[in-house]
Amino acid sequence: MVERLPVQKVIPSTEMRNNLGKLLNQVHLNDQHLVVEKLGIPVAAIISMKDYEQYRRMFAAHQLNAFGRRAGAEADRKGLTEEQLREELEGTRKAVFRDVYPDLAQ
């Protein structure tokens, strides 16, 4: 099943200020996105928490993917094998654990 995009409504900042409660209900109950303009320039968006959480997950996945590409390119540049990289990462993980949890580290 294909999800449809939420309805997007553009509102001036004065309408947001004067009707915030009503507009928040529209976002929450009607699956609506609000784009707030100030002097005709879009300056903010109001979206549901569900949509915001989905955005955060997608953004985190994108950041992780980009990090993986950079780390892979750096490993290739240094001529590291996958096994060497795994050992280096494990050493780093242990060092971070010791720094964060000194009482638990052995």
Side-chain angles (χ1 to χ4, degrees):
M1 181 177 168
V2 177
E3 276 191 55
R4 65 176 183 80
L5 288 172
V7 174
Q8 180 175 300
K9 179 181 176 185
V10 178
I11 60 168
S13 59
T14 53
E15 181 179 343
M16 185 204 61
R17 185 176 56 240
N18 294 335
N19 300 298
L20 183 59
K22 182 180 97 178
L23 294 169
L24 289 175
N25 282 338
Q26 287 178 7
V27 168
H28 178 68
L29 300 173
N30 300 330
D31 197 26
Q32 190 173 73
H33 289 179
L34 301 177
V35 175
V36 182
E37 288 185 343
K38 187 168 185 174
L39 301 174
I41 299 168
V43 294
I46 302 174
I47 61 174
S48 70
M49 278 306 297
K50 175 184 67 105
D51 290 345
Y52 178 68
E53 289 165 356
Q54 182 179 7
Y55 161 77
R56 297 277 300 175
R57 283 190 300 274
M58 289 174 26
F59 185 73
H62 171 76
Q63 293 292 90
L64 183 59
N65 191 340
F67 173 77
R69 285 192 306 272
R70 287 192 310 272
E74 182 66 14
D76 286 345
R77 189 183 69 73
K78 289 183 174 183
L80 294 173
T81 66
E82 190 172 329
E83 183 59 34
Q84 290 170 319
L85 184 58
R86 192 175 294 118
E87 289 172 8
E88 190 173 311
L89 288 171
E90 181 61 19
T92 300
R93 186 193 66 78
K94 287 179 180 179
V96 169
F97 185 87
R98 282 192 304 271
D99 289 347
V100 174
Y101 304 106
D103 296 339
L104 298 176
Q106 297 180 16

